[in-house]
Amino acid sequence: EVQLVESGGILVQPGGSLRLSCAASGFTFSNSWMHWVRQPPGQGLLWVSRINSDGTTTNYADSVKGRFTVSRDNAKNTLYLQMNSLTEDDTAIYYCATAGYYRLDNWGPGTLVTVSS
Amino acid sequence: QSALTQPASVSGSPGQSITISCTGTSSDVGGYNYVSWYQQHPGKAPKLIIHDVTQRPSGISNRFSGSKSGNTASLTISGLQAEDEADYYCSSYTSSITYVFGTGTKVTVL
């Protein structure tokens, strides 16, 4: 069974940095492309980023380009999202998801990031 | 990248059919057959219910069906059941090598 568990979400001040993790199990992580998606409280889903299986290709939404960096450690079966220069607009639940063929197959339960002074 | 446009809410009685629209542009919905639909119950993670416009993942009820015409995709739920009450989001691959989600539709079972 595919399992994804996000962690690292906390309360952080504007301008701060944070690294989220997504621990994967139940599938061959090193063969899988992965996504990050976020959802501000009470709002809709927003795609954030995608990374290919070996970490050499990444894509980002315009809203986070230059501030967020997605990476992975296939030896640890873990996906990361480094978030810098955070603003209150980045407050959201952050989900990791496995990438099927142009779709998001399996999702973790999410981790809440709150940016506030 | 602007969000795809969905109606804010759709409602129906048990047993009825409802359809949710998802309107984009030729750079996303109209340009690719890579439209997916996700169901999200309150406090839960989204769940894939339709991919590649019309395809259902294993285990998804055949009461859910998808279609597309031009820049607009649609999700139809037939034989509406109480458990179908949830938020629904469409998504599409885009020409910018990114993904875009719809604004979301709250389905209410009367």
Side-chain angles (χ1 to χ4, degrees):
Chain A
E1 179 191 1
V2 172
Q3 281 206 320
L4 300 168
V5 179
E6 303 90 342
S7 62
I10 59 169
L11 171 64
V12 61
Q13 290 192 335
S17 297
L18 194 60
R19 189 178 81 160
L20 304 182
S21 300
C22 169
S25 61
F27 65 103
T28 307
F29 180 74
S30 59
N31 289 347
S32 299
W33 293 48
M34 299 291 294
H35 292 271
W36 284 102
V37 174
R38 66 184 180 181
Q39 185 170 33
Q43 297 184 39
L45 301 173
L46 300 168
W47 181 82
V48 172
S49 181
R50 179 183 70 169
I51 187 168
N52 72 341
S53 58
D54 65 6
T56 57
T57 299
T58 57
N59 306 103
Y60 298 94
D62 287 345
S63 58
V64 306
K65 197 174 296 183
R67 299 189 301 124
F68 289 13
T69 302
V70 60
S71 63
R72 63 193 298 158
D73 185 336
N74 285 344
K76 295 182 178 179
N77 286 351
T78 303
L79 175 72
Y80 302 103
L81 185 67
Q82 176 68 42
M83 305 186 295
N84 299 330
S85 304
L86 287 163
T87 73
E88 293 181 347
D89 288 343
D90 296 315
T91 293
I93 297 172
Y94 284 75
Y95 298 100
C96 64
T98 60
Y101 191 68
Y102 295 105
R103 63 186 187 261
L104 285 70
D105 281 337
N106 299 283
W107 299 59
T111 187
L112 177 62
V113 173
T114 303
V115 183
S116 176
S117 55
Chain B
Q1 181 71 52
S2 297
L4 308 176
T5 301
Q6 297 180 231
S9 62
V10 173
S11 61
S13 299
Q16 286 187 330
S17 293
I18 61 170
T19 297
I20 302 168
S21 61
C22 169
T23 301
T25 68
S26 59
S27 296
D28 39 64
V29 174
Y32 305 92
N33 286 324
Y34 298 139
V35 175
S36 300
W37 289 89
Y38 302 86
Q39 176 192 61
Q40 186 180 33
H41 286 107
K44 301 294 187 181
K47 176 183 179 181
L48 176 68
I49 59 172
I50 293 287
H51 65 88
D52 296 342
V53 179
T54 62
Q55 303 301 302
R56 282 188 310 276
S58 174
I60 299 301
S61 171
N62 59 8
R63 297 186 300 103
F64 294 95
S65 62
S67 63
K68 191 185 87 168
S69 178
N71 295 338
T72 298
S74 298
L75 173 71
T76 297
I77 308 175
S78 58
L80 199 61
Q81 298 180 0
E83 66 204 49
D84 300 331
E85 189 160 291
D87 293 327
Y88 291 82
Y89 295 91
C90 61
S91 177
S92 176
Y93 180 72
T94 83
S95 60
S96 300
I97 317 179
T98 62
Y99 289 76
V100 60
F101 283 95
T103 49
T105 299
K106 181 177 181 60
V107 169
T108 301
V109 181
L110 302 172

